[in-house]
Amino acid sequence: MSQCILELRNIVKEYFGNRVLKGVSLRLNEGEIHALIGENGAGKSTLMNILFGMPVIHNTGGYEGEIFFQGNHVEIKTPHDAMESGIGMVHQEFMLLPGFTITENIKLNRETTRANVASQVFGPSMRSLDMPAMEADARAALDRLGLSLDETLKVAGLPVGYMQFVEIARELDKKTTKILVLDEPTAVLTESEADTLLTTMERLAKSGIAILFITHRLGEVMRVADNITVLRDGEWVASMPKSEASIEKLAELMVGRSLENVAHHRDLSGQGVDTFVEIRDLRVEMPGEEVRGIDLDIRKGEILGIGGLAGQGKIGIANGVMGHYASSGTVRKEGKEIPLNNTPVALAAGMAFVSEDRRGVGLLLDQSIELNIAVPAMQSQRQFLTGGSLGLTDNKSMRAHALDMIQKLDIRCTGPEQLTRRLSGGNQQKVCIAKALTLHPNLLFVSEPTRGIDIGAKKIVLDLLVKLNREWGVTVVVTSSELAELRSICDRIAIIYEGKVEGILAPDASDRDFGVLLAGGLKAAEKEAS
Amino acid sequence: MSDMKETPTIKEDFDLQKQLKNNAVPIMFVIICSIGCYYARLPWPFLINEIITRMARNSFLVISLIIPIIAGMGLNFGIVLGAMAAQFALIAVVLFELQGVAALLVTIILMLPMAIFFGWMTGALFNMTRGKEMITGIILSFFANGVYQLICLWVLGAIIPIKNPAVMLPSGVGLRNTINLKPLHYVLDRMFELQYGMIRIPVVTFLVILLLCVGMHFLLKTKLGQDFRAVGQSQHIAGVSGINVDKTRIIAIVLSTILAAMGQVIFLQNLGILTTYGSHVQVGTFAVAAILVGGASVSKATIPQALLGTLLFHTLFIVSPLAGKNLLGSPQVGEFFRVFIAYGVIGVALALHAWKGRGK
């Protein structure tokens, strides 16, 4: 057994009388990858803030409990203390300065400096920066990650995946770093980037660095973790080595209620269901998600899933049909052609779209829930307006509608006036769906409905989509990177590869079939045959 | 793994259109100045001499704005307080009846603690009104002007008895509207100067400005300079990485205020006369307008931009009344035009900043 490097004993934290951590303990050994999992609000971030001495903890009265670092009791009061003791943190939102080069970011506030005349008079803040030495150190840290990235590039304009690596390189460059805390590192990465990151983590762990890996992606936990700790509602639930864990068991521990397998799917093909929407040769110029000639039929009343790996074009389809990105091709809805590149017409035709970019396109974050729900309908259908051609906001009907939606979709909030920024991810998504429903669509496009949402809320959002379909008669097209969730609610699943439909499968088709389509294997197989 | 190994290529090709767009403001002012010079029909030696005088007089003040911009605090309208510190020191030196270089040295010695104190207060206030430094600076300069007037009109004479008819109003309370700075007049400019016909070059003043530029360049390459830039980009990230954000911001404003005070001394030793209630009022706006004309923005500024801006803005000042008179028959139009330019440039720069910021 390797040596214990960090031990948290019975950590308790209160925010204004609200206990968010109720006695959490954790042991981290040298060279291990320890996964810390839990739903949003389980206390993972608070625990990390305590470990990293973030001001937010000490401004609100500190914490109770003890932290031992290599057997010694330590008090971590500032991020600087944490750094001194060798704790490196890779934050969920990147702590990188866009206008600085990679080197300057890696060396931020730890610059290599040289003495000069002024520094002898005015003190160390006047020391000159030694840029070549800084670049050499940055290079060494990047090499350790196996990354051949030019260290003199500015961070602004780097792909998101690289920023994550720059953050890790920064922590590695601190020679004292013995513990690396990664807070949801794969949340913003594509699958291949995430894969690279996991490989790198394994390599770092082998070199003796202990990694605390916070995530809610259980697949990744099962792949790299040595030990796993589960938190729920601020309480320690379980710790176990990987050998004793399974995805189902972890999910159950996290959520605290067993996830029933929601297999709703129906086979509608035999019932003579009409083709509702006919998409022919759709091409969409969405950067990174280009669609290169899609032919797809959407049947009335179904839930159609659109899956595929990142960058293959699945996201582009709904964006193209709704006119958010320049597109060409034909779309017919109930036999009537819908002109492309025209969002108002698409909305008027009874189609609505819940964007994958919830916080960017989907919501006015600094506006109330009620206004968010009402705005598109005001714009395109003149709902909730009064005063004739003046078009004043009708607060009364808007409020009534918002209350109705809050109740029907079970949006957890303090009231219709709450700002959407303050809502959790799952509830924000519900507001987006409410917004789309207010347009009374008969076809709803939903992109990445569960991205960045914790497991419990995921299920609620997915159930809501099923409810819309079954009870409200809305045809739903769900685009998602998570195949498992498509398989749990869809009637059919179309897999997109290189901007085209690779194949359409029933949700209960075998993993192997899905795998083959995702990797574009059908074409490869055909080629082999010919 | 293989796809992560490629280095992303970031295009840095020379793009003429982009260059033109990025430098639109200075280019526009070069054109306006050229037209102005043409129509003003001033003799060249006179024009060049005027430009040299004004560069020597104003560059220091304009350069004093650079540090706060880099530290993310925008255009420091608070430099007016630095100018006041300089003026208090100058008044004292006149009262002490000192002469020449000794007067200059005593002015600097008296001015420094005041400038540091004012800068520290301004910086502390800016830390309380984070994100609204510019409007705070403008209002602060109005408020400070009120206090300044109270001191000069009443405290001096009524509380602190001063008997010097050359400085005091006939009633014995309050300072005169103008104070002769004869003992300090041209103390730097004429310490050593070169003369070619009508053109006089104040070598020592330019050496002081050069020293400032070199010092500023050096400062930005030190740890402190790096901290300024880090804080300027994100206070949060700088704070998390252990930089003392508040202290760094206060240092930026203190340095700016000291430089502005020094700049005001250079400015007034050239004029040789102190307009007690007016010399400092326009310092902030004119320096800000000059640096913006040079192509700086609320968040980005360099020494060349400050110097170019001073050159263009003051060339416009020299030629616009005459050009207005020759073109439209009235010097008033030219005068109107230069005031319009000064405030218009600030307005446009702030609007551009707001529009760019909205995209984030």
Side-chain angles (χ1 to χ4, degrees):
Chain A
M1 181 101 188
S2 51
Q3 220 186 331
C4 171
I5 187 161
L6 179 79
E7 190 177 358
L8 304 178
R9 266 189 219 156
N10 217 11
I11 302 287
V12 174
K13 170 69 195 163
E14 280 188 8
Y15 279 121
F16 312 108
N18 180 11
R19 278 165 95 88
V20 292
L21 283 179
K22 305 161 190 164
V24 173
S25 301
L26 190 145
R27 278 174 71 96
L28 186 63
N29 296 325
E30 244 170 45
E32 79 163 348
I33 299 181
H34 193 118
L36 182 66
I37 61 175
E39 291 189 86
N40 292 349
K44 295 172 297 185
S45 296
T46 309
L47 193 62
M48 288 314 106
N49 284 342
I50 289 173
L51 197 54
F52 203 59
M54 294 299 257
V56 62
I57 299 298
H58 298 279
N59 295 341
T60 52
Y63 62 91
E64 292 162 42
E66 290 167 311
I67 300 176
F68 293 88
F69 187 77
Q70 289 178 318
N72 303 317
H73 182 249
V74 287
E75 286 273 330
I76 299 174
K77 288 215 172 69
T78 64
H80 195 73
D81 292 347
M83 270 179 242
E84 296 266 286
S85 359
I87 301 172
M89 176 103 178
V90 176
H91 299 268
Q92 201 171 354
E93 74 273 33
F94 296 127
M95 293 285 178
L96 296 175
L97 295 171
F100 273 10
T101 63
I102 292 174
T103 301
E104 286 173 308
N105 268 296
I106 288 178
K107 285 291 192 180
L108 184 60
N109 204 29
R110 297 179 304 105
E111 291 89 352
T112 319
T113 55
R114 275 181 283 120
N116 57 41
V117 183
S119 71
Q120 271 144 17
V121 181
F122 296 107
S125 69
M126 280 291 125
R127 290 170 72 97
S128 313
L129 301 183
D130 187 352
M131 206 44 95
M134 285 162 64
E135 277 168 7
D137 283 357
R139 184 71 263 150
L142 291 172
D143 285 343
R144 216 170 143 195
L145 290 172
L147 207 64
S148 65
L149 195 58
D150 181 358
E151 69 276 9
T152 59
L153 282 179
K154 280 224 165 92
V155 164
L158 280 186
V160 176
Y162 288 94
M163 294 193 189
Q164 187 90 55
F165 282 95
V166 174
E167 290 242 325
I168 297 173
R170 184 182 61 206
E171 300 313 318
L172 286 183
D173 182 60
K174 299 170 185 166
K175 298 291 173 251
T176 52
T177 299
K178 294 190 191 74
I179 300 173
L180 200 55
V181 181
L182 298 168
D183 191 2
E184 310 248 357
T186 57
V188 289
L189 302 186
T190 63
E191 276 172 61
S192 62
E193 286 168 343
D195 192 56
T196 314
L197 179 70
L198 296 178
T199 314
T200 310
M201 282 166 56
E202 283 173 326
R203 192 160 64 194
L204 289 176
K206 263 192 207 113
S207 76
I209 288 179
I211 296 180
L212 195 55
F213 177 36
I214 304 172
T215 188
H216 51 233
R217 293 198 180 171
L218 301 178
E220 294 170 357
V221 171
M222 291 306 292
R223 186 178 141 192
V224 297
D226 300 310
N227 287 296
I228 300 159
T229 293
V230 186
L231 297 186
R232 188 203 311 149
D233 296 333
E235 273 174 288
W236 176 91
V237 179
S239 288
M240 66 191 87
K242 183 168 73 177
S243 52
E244 291 171 18
S246 69
I247 288 190
E248 294 75 29
K249 188 172 165 191
L250 293 177
E252 206 178 311
L253 285 170
M254 249 167 87
V255 181
R257 50 185 182 267
S258 49
L259 275 174
E260 70 260 42
N261 191 11
V262 275
H264 298 280
H265 101 276
R266 308 149 295 175
D267 187 5
L268 298 172
S269 57
Q271 301 171 17
V273 183
D274 331 326
T275 298
F276 190 45
V277 175
E278 201 181 304
I279 299 172
R280 290 292 173 268
D281 196 31
L282 179 72
R283 287 163 192 277
V284 184
E285 289 169 33
M286 181 171 179
E289 286 282 346
E290 251 161 274
V291 180
R292 304 186 181 90
I294 291 259
D295 296 326
L296 189 64
D297 290 336
I298 303 167
R299 296 170 185 163
K300 196 169 177 80
E302 74 172 341
I303 300 182
L304 174 66
I306 300 181
L309 299 177
Q312 300 294 343
K314 62 176 188 302
I315 303 278
I317 299 173
N319 277 296
V321 172
M322 295 305 291
H324 287 206
Y325 284 89
S327 48
S328 64
T330 49
V331 174
R332 269 190 212 91
K333 184 160 176 278
E334 295 170 300
K336 217 180 95 201
E337 182 157 348
I338 313 276
L340 288 168
N341 303 316
N342 192 335
T343 308
V345 173
L347 290 172
M351 301 194 284
F353 178 39
V354 177
S355 170
E356 67 283 352
D357 186 4
R358 190 165 61 229
R359 297 172 71 87
V361 178
L363 289 174
L364 305 165
L365 288 172
D366 290 316
Q367 298 294 346
S368 63
I369 295 173
E370 54 183 359
L371 197 66
N372 266 288
I373 294 178
V375 157
M378 285 181 181
Q379 285 292 335
S380 68
Q381 300 178 350
R382 302 192 61 80
Q383 292 189 57
F384 313 115
L385 292 180
T386 176
S389 56
L390 276 178
L392 304 172
T393 310
D394 181 1
N395 287 316
K396 220 166 139 188
S397 67
M398 188 167 85
R399 172 68 51 86
H401 178 73
L403 286 171
D404 183 43
M405 277 295 176
I406 287 170
Q407 192 234 329
K408 274 190 183 138
L409 305 190
D410 189 24
I411 302 172
R412 303 285 169 84
C413 57
T414 57
E417 285 170 343
Q418 195 179 12
L419 301 186
T420 50
R421 188 185 291 282
R422 307 252 178 272
L423 295 176
S424 70
N427 284 309
Q428 284 181 345
Q429 190 63 275
K430 287 186 202 161
V431 173
C432 288
I433 293 172
K435 197 175 98 164
L437 289 179
T438 305
L439 296 165
H440 304 297
N442 49 23
L443 175 59
L444 181 66
F445 288 100
V446 186
S447 286
E448 303 284 7
T450 62
R451 181 185 275 179
I453 297 181
D454 61 67
I455 269 201
K458 257 181 196 175
K459 187 173 171 330
I460 293 169
V461 168
L462 294 177
D463 286 348
L464 177 63
L465 293 176
V466 173
K467 183 176 151 193
L468 293 179
N469 177 260
R470 304 289 194 273
E471 293 174 20
W472 301 31
V474 181
T475 306
V476 180
V477 179
V478 192
T479 310
S480 174
S481 309
E482 297 197 27
L483 198 55
E485 83 187 29
L486 290 179
R487 291 173 81 173
S488 74
I489 63 167
C490 293
D491 301 313
R492 295 189 302 154
I493 298 168
I495 302 295
I496 310 300
Y497 182 75
E498 290 193 337
K500 293 191 167 152
V501 177
E502 185 68 22
I504 297 179
L505 291 172
D508 53 1
S510 73
D511 290 350
R512 195 192 147 274
D513 291 346
F514 275 109
V516 167
L517 289 187
L518 283 173
L522 204 56
K523 284 202 188 79
E526 275 167 10
K527 263 183 208 151
E528 265 170 39
S530 62
Chain B
M1 189 93 194
S2 60
D3 60 329
M4 290 291 291
K5 294 268 181 181
E6 304 156 18
T7 304
T9 49
I10 290 168
K11 266 196 214 160
E12 296 235 354
D13 297 341
F14 182 76
D15 183 345
L16 184 68
Q17 212 180 345
K18 208 174 153 193
Q19 288 289 325
L20 284 177
K21 206 175 143 195
N22 287 346
N23 296 308
V25 177
I27 290 169
M28 190 177 84
F29 273 88
V30 167
I31 295 169
I32 296 175
C33 283
S34 312
I35 297 170
C37 289
Y38 177 79
Y39 282 105
R41 290 186 214 121
L42 284 166
W44 282 106
F46 173 78
L47 181 64
I48 291 170
N49 188 50
E50 273 297 301
I51 291 175
I52 288 174
T53 308
R54 281 163 175 270
M55 285 292 287
R57 199 193 279 167
N58 291 291
S59 298
F60 212 106
L61 278 169
V62 179
I63 293 171
S64 76
L65 291 172
I66 291 178
I67 294 175
I69 293 177
I70 288 174
M73 305 173 81
L75 305 161
N76 182 15
F77 288 93
I79 60 169
V80 171
L81 277 84
M84 289 174 187
Q87 285 169 204
F88 282 135
L90 284 169
I91 292 165
V93 167
V94 170
L95 288 172
F96 297 156
E97 293 174 352
L98 292 166
Q99 291 285 333
V101 179
L104 182 71
L105 290 178
V106 173
T107 307
I108 293 170
I109 291 167
L110 289 176
M111 167 199 94
L112 266 179
M114 278 192 280
I116 291 171
F117 177 68
F118 293 166
W120 176 71
M121 297 273 279
T122 311
L125 181 67
F126 284 180
N127 278 342
M128 284 186 253
T129 57
R130 224 170 281 264
K132 304 182 190 71
E133 289 90 353
M134 282 190 270
I135 186 70
T136 308
I138 293 173
I139 300 300
L140 175 68
S141 69
F142 289 150
F143 171 73
N145 193 26
V147 177
Y148 176 90
Q149 286 180 13
L150 180 73
I151 293 172
C152 291
L153 270 177
W154 183 69
V155 175
L156 297 181
I159 309 268
I160 306 168
I162 297 171
K163 302 243 176 323
N164 187 332
V167 175
M168 304 306 289
L169 287 169
S171 65
V173 175
L175 298 176
R176 278 178 183 277
N177 207 15
T178 53
I179 294 172
N180 196 338
L181 296 179
K182 192 127 202 203
L184 280 149
H185 198 187
Y186 291 136
V187 62
L188 269 183
D189 290 355
R190 303 251 160 112
M191 202 180 274
F192 177 75
E193 69 174 355
L194 293 172
Q195 197 165 359
Y196 303 98
M198 268 185 80
I199 302 170
R200 309 175 80 144
I201 303 172
V203 177
V204 179
T205 313
F206 278 118
L207 276 179
V208 171
I209 293 168
L210 180 72
L211 196 69
L212 171 68
C213 293
V214 173
M216 184 76 77
H217 185 74
F218 167 78
L219 176 71
L220 293 179
K221 291 218 176 305
T222 63
K223 174 76 185 94
L224 183 63
Q226 191 78 354
D227 289 354
F228 285 149
R229 289 193 285 149
V231 170
Q233 289 184 60
S234 166
Q235 294 182 38
H236 178 59
I237 295 176
V240 170
S241 61
I243 296 172
N244 187 336
V245 174
D246 286 5
K247 193 176 146 204
T248 307
R249 282 162 55 94
I250 289 178
I251 293 174
I253 293 296
V254 167
L255 285 176
S256 173
T257 310
I258 294 172
L259 293 180
M262 191 58 216
Q264 185 75 349
V265 171
I266 294 177
F267 182 86
L268 289 173
Q269 63 84 32
N270 176 276
L271 284 183
I273 196 152
L274 168 66
T275 312
T276 314
Y277 304 104
S279 284
H280 55 279
V281 175
Q282 302 281 31
V283 162
T285 20
F286 283 178
V288 162
I291 203 167
L292 293 176
V293 165
S297 73
V298 174
S299 53
K300 202 161 181 270
T302 62
I303 297 169
Q305 282 170 342
L307 294 175
L308 176 68
T310 316
L311 177 71
L312 291 174
F313 187 69
H314 286 282
T315 305
L316 200 66
F317 254 47
I318 299 161
V319 298
S320 62
L322 270 171
K325 190 180 163 202
N326 291 343
L327 267 176
L328 303 155
S330 159
Q332 290 299 329
V333 177
E335 181 61 32
F336 163 76
F337 186 65
R338 77 181 183 187
V339 173
F340 173 78
I341 293 280
Y343 291 106
V345 162
I346 299 174
V348 170
L350 294 178
L352 280 175
H353 180 69
W355 280 320
K356 275 186 196 161
R358 221 166 38 173
K360 282 167 199 162

